[in-house]
């Protein structure tokens, strides 16, 4: 009897199906549960933090969000992060697309060397240059301002941008330029008027990734803005959050702040997810 | 661009007199700039306070030792900067000489040089204004407009002259220079024009700081400290990397058995007193198998650093392996056909998108040492543990906790990289194998794994590089309690202010990662065409 059920092909197919969906549910749970936990904690009261953990807030409250938005340091750091990340992304896109066009489409001596330099830069350990960067940031007079971050983030954003965009440029068919040259366009005109519009989707992806990477950056932000609380970015503020009452770690508030910072990112990622995966695989970028 | 009028256009018949007055002027200007660059650099060096101090040094109580002039120079200017100045000035002079002779090719290069010089001087001007205002604001003084204007005269004047010449040359180039401008030459010029911003940024924020790190690692410089740094050779490295292996016996109980701690670990004798006085501290003991109570004590002069290397290596190996296994599983699941695959891919990006600092704090909350921590609660509900565990403060649980957080954050990301690789494997291969009666396990090992190798290699090496330089996670979760290489570097630099020593740590990390990066570059084999 049992034997016949096990050999029944339809049963096996169904079993496979069930196992597949079990695995899918497991993965979704794995990826989402901590996020859900942060979300639900952000609505809990401070006193609930000391009771046994519960999956839903016992007395849901918006107080944490209220505190967070009343906290000047946090609001300020949101502003800083937005400014730093968007300027860094724009700068990296402009400078990076120039370099990528040169590396992907033009013939010149030294191209291979430049490609290797860019590639090795993508693996550069930022901590190794921290002490040297201090000096340079000080000399430029940027220390303790968001400018310090805009000036130093290209260390890790630019090589990645150049690398991803180079592979996009290389993927475009050669006939495009040949036609343009026949029509009498200069190489720069070809770049600006023909190739750049064609890579617009790639630019959106790369820009978004550059934005996310600088939004999440911690090491430089921690070091170059220590002297000036007004220049801190969101990761630093959250790592050092003391909240309204400094006696106890205000975990619920921290989670509310974390939600404010993360939800826009998650929404962006969900909207552009297809493109991001493409961009990431093209650049095999760091996480 | 204006069309050349016939009477100014030099015809091939009048080839003898090719050199024109504008060509001579512009050529002369370039040569002058080339020479001026070296002169300005030499003056800057000789006026530098650090170098002047080293040159004019006389023995005093505060500074008993003669400071090294070479070090003062390297510390301030390095090697890249003088080399760059020398190279560029030679380049300017040689282009200037060719422009003087009327070469069209050189004139085009002159345009490139003049344009970037103008932009460079513009940036200098803006920075000067910014810094004058900043300093005035910091000291709450009114901006000294006179002094500001005084310091702006030279850059602005230079910018106007060079910019003017560039503008004139752009409009009149064809009138005064002749020769052939090949497409390949145009492409080369455009390429360098486009690459100069990237190169400038790389030199300023990557190459120069890296060079300074290397130089400082040979000195005893203290961060933001007084006193003049001195060369100490490779002392910092010796201090960091010296390791001794000694055999030690275990501490015995009265009955002759090895004494054991509460958690089951054997108590070992410490290394010899002389060694302790030399600064050696035991990092860990490895029991010698089949011996009666003996172990090899690994000790180092800087046991924190040796410990940090150890921690980082374990962290890297375990978390990358874990990510690979979980990531591969996820990739295979998501690669099969089911409704909502797109949504799953998006869901898997979420842990990646959450900033590491936030995910560290989030896990800090989940791993709380009471039953308010959800991990403890779930594990207790499932009867996996009896009492709440102090995941983050109990030293033996810290590393596993950090690995858990890292795996959570990056396994889905790894899965997405592998998924891209899986999707390139043609489905008919599996169908053919199934027809031939290959079992699913056989299909996995004979088709999936071999064809996935390139994607696996890339994902593995990138994750390895990332894990080796882990900073955010350890800094937020443990502070100084449990150090990775990068957080150790940070602590020596920022908390202990030992700049020279920290630089040596940086160089070691850099070399570590370079080895992996080198392997990666070799494996990837950059397409050159």
């Amino acid at each position: 009897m049992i034997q016949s059920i096990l050999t029944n092909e339809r049963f096996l197919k169904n079993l496979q199906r069930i196992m597949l969906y079990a695995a899918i549910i497991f993965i979704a749970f794995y990826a989402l549960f901590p996020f859900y936990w942060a979300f639900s904690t952000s609505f809990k009261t401070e006193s609930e933090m000391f009771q046994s953990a519960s999956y839903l807030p016992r007395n849901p409250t918006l107080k944490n969000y209220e505190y967070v938005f009343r906290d000047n340091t946090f609001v300020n750091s949101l502003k800083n992060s937005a400014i730093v990340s968007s300027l860094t992304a724009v700068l990296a896109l402009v400078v990076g697309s120039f370099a990528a066009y040169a590396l992907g489409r033009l013939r010149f001596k030294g191209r291979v060397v430049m490609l290797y330099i860019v590639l090795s830069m993508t693996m550069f350990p930022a901590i190794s240059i921290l002490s040297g960067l201090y000096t340079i940031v000080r000399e430029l007079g940027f220390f303790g301002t968001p400018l310090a971050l805009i000036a130093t983030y290209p260390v890790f954003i630019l090589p990645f941008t150049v690398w991803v965009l180079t592979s996009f440029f290389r993927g475009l068919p050669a006939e495009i330029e040949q036609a343009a040259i026949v029509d009498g366009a200069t190489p720069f005109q070809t770049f600006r008027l023909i190739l750049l519009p064609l890579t617009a989707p790639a630019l959106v992806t790369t820009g978004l990734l550059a934005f996310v990477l600088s939004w999440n950056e911690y090491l430089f932000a921690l070091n170059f803005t220590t002297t000036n609380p007004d220049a801190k970015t969101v990761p630093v503020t959250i790592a050092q959050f003391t909240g309204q009452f400094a006696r106890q770690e205000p975990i619920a508030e921290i989670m509310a702040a974390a939600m404010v910072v993360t939800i826009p990112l998650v929404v962006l990622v969900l909207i552009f997810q297809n493109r991001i995966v493409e961009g990431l695989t093209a650049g095999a970028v760091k996480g | 661009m204006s069309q050349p009028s016939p009477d100014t256009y030099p015809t091939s018949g009048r080839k003898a007199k090719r050199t024109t007055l504008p060509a001579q002027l512009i050529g002369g200007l370039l040569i002058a700039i080339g020479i001026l660059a070296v002169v300005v650099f030499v003056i800057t060096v000789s006026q530098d306070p650090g170098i002047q101090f080293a040159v004019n040094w006389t023995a005093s109580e505060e500074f008993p030792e003669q400071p090294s002039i070479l070090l003062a120079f390297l510390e301030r200017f390095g090697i890249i900067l003088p080399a760059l100045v020398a190279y560029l000035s030679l380049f300017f002079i040689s282009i200037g000489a060719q422009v003087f002779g009327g070469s069209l090719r050189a004139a085009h290069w002159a345009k490139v040089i003049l344009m970037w010089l103008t932009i460079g001087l513009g940036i200098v001007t803006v920075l000067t204004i910014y810094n004058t205002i900043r300093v005035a604001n910091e000291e709450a003084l009114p901006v000294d407009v006179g002094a500001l204007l005084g310091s702006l005269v030279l850059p602005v004047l230079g910018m106007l002259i060079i910019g003017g010449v560039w503008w004139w040359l752009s409009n009149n180039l064809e009138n005064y220079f002749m020769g052939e401008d090949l497409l390949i030459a145009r492409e080369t010029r455009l390429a360098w024009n486009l690459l100069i911003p990237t190169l400038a940024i790389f030199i300023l924020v990557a190459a120069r700081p890296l060079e300074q790190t290397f130089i400082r690692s040979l000195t005893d410089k203290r961060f933001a400290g007084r006193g003049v740094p001195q060369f100490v050779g490779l002392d910092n490295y010796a201090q960091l990397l010296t390791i001794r292996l000694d055999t030690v016996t275990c501490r015995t109980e009265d009955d002759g058995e090895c004494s054991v701690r509460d958690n089951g670990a054997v108590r070992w004798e410490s290394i010899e007193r002389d060694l302790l006085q030399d600064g050696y501290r035991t990092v860990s003991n490895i029991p010698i198998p089949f011996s009666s109570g003996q172990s090899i004590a690994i000790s180092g002069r800087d046991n924190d650093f040796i410990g940090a290397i150890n921690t980082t290596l374990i962290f890297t190996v375990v978390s990358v392996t874990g990510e690979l296994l979980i990531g591969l599983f996820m990739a295979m699941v998501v690669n099969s056909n089911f409704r909502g695959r797109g949504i799953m891919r998006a869901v898997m990006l979420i842990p990646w998108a959450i900033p590491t600092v936030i995910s560290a704090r989030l896990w800090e909350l989940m791993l709380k040492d009471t039953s308010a921590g959800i991990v403890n609660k779930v594990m207790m509900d499932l009867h996996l543990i009896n009492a709440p565990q102090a995941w983050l403060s109990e030293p033996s649980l810290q590393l596993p906790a950090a690995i858990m957080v890292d795996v959570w954050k990056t396994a889905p990301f790894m899965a997405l990289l592998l998924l891209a690789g899986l999707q390139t494997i043609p489905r008919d291969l599996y169908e053919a194998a199934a027809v031939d009666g290959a079992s699913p396990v056989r299909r996995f090992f004979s088709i999936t794994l071999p064809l996935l190798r390139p994607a696996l290699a890339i994902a593995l090496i990138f994750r390895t590089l990332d894990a080796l330089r882990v900073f955010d996670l350890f800094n937020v979760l443990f502070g100084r309690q449990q150090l990775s290489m990068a957080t150790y570097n940070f602590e020596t630099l920022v908390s202990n202010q030992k700049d020279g020593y920290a630089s040596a740590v940086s160089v070691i990390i850099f070399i570590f990662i370079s080895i992996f990066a080198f392997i990666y570059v070799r494996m990837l084999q950059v397409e050159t065409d």
Side-chain angles (χ1 to χ4, degrees), chain B residues 255-276:
Chain B
D255 57 1
E257 288 292 306
C258 282
S259 146
V260 171
R261 282 176 216 274
D262 293 342
N263 59 5
V266 182
R267 286 174 201 269
W268 300 101
E269 287 291 348
S270 66
I271 47 175
E272 283 168 41
R273 185 174 277 267
D274 297 357
L275 294 175
L276 287 175

Side-chain angles (χ1 to χ4, degrees), chain A residues 1-285:
Chain A
M1 182 67 184
I2 292 171
Q3 198 73 26
S4 69
I5 292 177
L6 277 181
T7 46
N8 185 331
E9 216 161 274
R10 240 181 88 190
F11 174 77
L12 273 180
K13 268 251 162 72
N14 281 335
L15 189 72
Q16 252 183 6
R17 220 59 214 162
I18 290 167
M19 274 166 66
L20 177 68
Y21 278 105
I24 290 164
I25 290 167
F26 170 75
I27 294 172
F29 179 78
Y30 175 100
L32 287 179
F33 182 75
F35 185 69
Y36 162 75
W37 190 249
F39 185 72
S40 104
T41 305
S42 71
F43 294 102
K44 289 179 182 171
T45 56
E46 210 57 51
S47 62
E48 209 183 322
M49 293 294 100
F50 301 99
Q51 299 161 11
S52 177
S54 66
Y55 294 97
L56 286 171
R58 294 197 180 93
N59 312 299
T61 167
L62 283 172
K63 266 224 168 76
N64 298 315
Y65 287 90
E66 223 182 289
Y67 282 140
V68 159
F69 278 109
R70 235 188 274 150
D71 183 339
N72 276 333
T73 321
F74 179 73
V75 176
N76 222 335
S77 66
L78 260 186
K79 214 171 67 195
N80 285 332
S81 272
I83 293 171
V84 168
S85 311
S86 36
L87 282 183
T88 309
V90 170
L91 185 79
L93 276 188
V94 173
V95 175
S97 66
F98 283 1
Y101 175 66
L103 292 171
R105 306 295 294 192
L106 298 176
R107 293 161 295 166
F108 63 100
K109 256 189 232 161
R111 193 173 73 93
V112 178
V113 179
M114 281 301 296
L115 271 176
Y116 274 109
I117 291 177
V118 172
L119 180 61
S120 50
M121 289 281 304
T122 60
M123 297 165 218
F124 205 73
I127 185 87
S128 286
I129 54 170
L130 194 61
S131 123
L133 272 183
Y134 260 117
T135 318
I136 284 164
V137 164
R138 280 238 161 81
E139 266 172 29
L140 290 172
F142 290 171
F143 192 79
T145 70
L147 282 177
L149 305 182
I150 297 169
T152 52
Y153 281 3
V155 175
F156 59 96
I157 304 274
L158 191 55
F160 147 73
T161 322
V162 173
W163 192 250
V164 174
L165 288 178
T166 302
S167 69
F168 273 110
F169 273 123
R170 220 186 259 152
L172 298 174
E175 290 80 23
I176 298 174
E177 274 152 308
Q178 284 159 8
I181 288 168
V182 170
D183 289 346
T186 66
F188 191 72
Q189 281 173 332
T190 324
F191 168 61
R192 197 169 53 91
L193 299 174
I194 299 169
L195 286 174
L196 213 50
L198 280 177
T199 45
L203 289 177
V204 172
T205 314
T206 324
L208 193 72
L209 286 172
F211 184 89
V212 173
L213 288 181
S214 24
W215 182 270
N216 295 357
E217 204 279 342
Y218 179 55
L219 177 65
F220 288 169
L222 178 66
N223 283 288
F224 299 144
T225 59
T226 40
T227 49
N228 182 5
D230 293 340
K232 282 179 184 166
T233 58
V234 161
V236 183
T237 309
I238 289 188
Q240 301 172 348
F241 211 92
T242 50
Q244 296 272 305
F245 315 102
R247 227 172 300 142
Q248 182 68 38
E249 268 217 321
I251 294 173
E253 279 175 47
I254 295 174
M255 288 305 129
M259 282 301 108
V260 174
V261 175
T262 314
I263 286 178
L265 276 195
V266 168
V267 170
L268 272 184
V269 163
L270 293 186
I271 295 172
F272 291 100
Q273 55 107 355
N274 257 326
R275 293 228 179 114
I276 289 179
V277 174
E278 272 166 36
L280 285 173
T281 27
V285 66

Side-chain angles (χ1 to χ4, degrees), chain B residues 183-238:
Chain B
L183 181 65
I184 183 105
R186 273 185 7 217
E187 277 193 23
T188 306
R189 276 198 317 270
L190 177 67
W192 286 109
N193 258 334
L194 292 173
L195 281 170
I196 280 173
T198 300
L199 272 177
I201 289 174
F202 279 2
I203 291 174
L204 184 69
V205 294
R208 281 277 294 137
L210 185 66
E211 171 195 53
Q212 289 204 322
T213 303
F214 269 86
I215 293 168
R216 283 175 191 172
S217 75
L218 303 173
T219 72
D220 59 0
K221 184 175 162 63
R222 292 190 65 86
F223 191 61
R226 258 170 289 154
V228 184
Q230 296 285 353
F231 273 120
V232 293
L234 294 173
D235 282 8
N236 289 331
Y237 294 96

Side-chain angles (χ1 to χ4, degrees), chain B residues 254-455:
Chain B
D254 295 339
D255 57 1
E257 288 292 306
C258 282
S259 146
V260 171
R261 282 176 216 274
D262 293 342
N263 59 5
V266 182
R267 286 174 201 269
W268 300 101
E269 287 291 348
S270 66
I271 47 175
E272 283 168 41
R273 185 174 277 267
D274 297 357
L275 294 175
L276 287 175
Q277 270 169 359
D278 281 349
Y280 286 94
R281 296 287 179 273
T282 308
V283 180
S284 69
N285 288 79
I286 300 170
I288 303 174
F290 311 116
S291 71
S292 53
Q294 283 192 316
S295 78
I296 296 175
I298 304 173
S299 59
R301 300 258 290 275
D302 184 338
N303 62 336
D304 280 346
F305 182 57
I306 307 287
I309 295 183
N310 191 27
T311 309
T312 311
L313 286 182
I314 296 174
F315 173 81
T316 304
V317 171
V318 179
S319 65
V320 172
T321 314
E323 282 155 33
L324 179 70
L325 295 177
I326 297 179
L328 190 57
F329 166 74
M330 286 185 178
M332 307 245 324
V333 169
V334 178
N335 195 36
S336 44
N337 267 323
F338 62 91
R339 229 184 273 164
R341 245 175 75 178
I343 297 170
M344 270 311 279
R345 291 212 312 187
V347 163
M348 281 160 62
L349 266 176
I350 287 178
W352 172 82
I354 295 178
T356 310
V357 170
I358 289 178
S359 66
R361 295 223 76 165
L362 165 58
W363 279 87
E364 213 179 313
L365 159 72
M366 293 177 49
L367 292 170
K368 248 182 125 178
D369 52 7
T370 59
S371 59
I374 184 73
V375 173
N376 275 328
K377 184 182 150 71
V378 169
M379 286 177 101
M380 274 158 68
D381 288 349
L382 296 173
H383 298 287
L384 291 171
I385 49 175
N386 293 324
Q389 299 287 308
W391 297 98
L392 295 173
S393 44
E394 164 66 36
S396 62
L397 290 178
Q398 284 179 339
L399 194 53
I403 290 170
M404 191 158 87
V405 179
D406 194 62
V407 168
W408 172 71
K409 185 170 161 61
T410 27
F413 173 69
M414 184 88 122
L416 290 172
L417 290 185
L418 295 178
L419 184 61
L422 280 178
Q423 283 169 341
T424 61
I425 304 177
R427 297 241 161 204
D428 0 341
L429 272 182
Y430 291 105
E431 280 156 25
V435 169
D436 289 348
S439 70
V441 179
R442 178 81 199 274
R443 272 177 271 164
F444 175 75
F445 282 103
S446 308
I447 301 175
T448 314
L449 267 192
L451 288 177
L452 201 58
R453 252 212 349 241

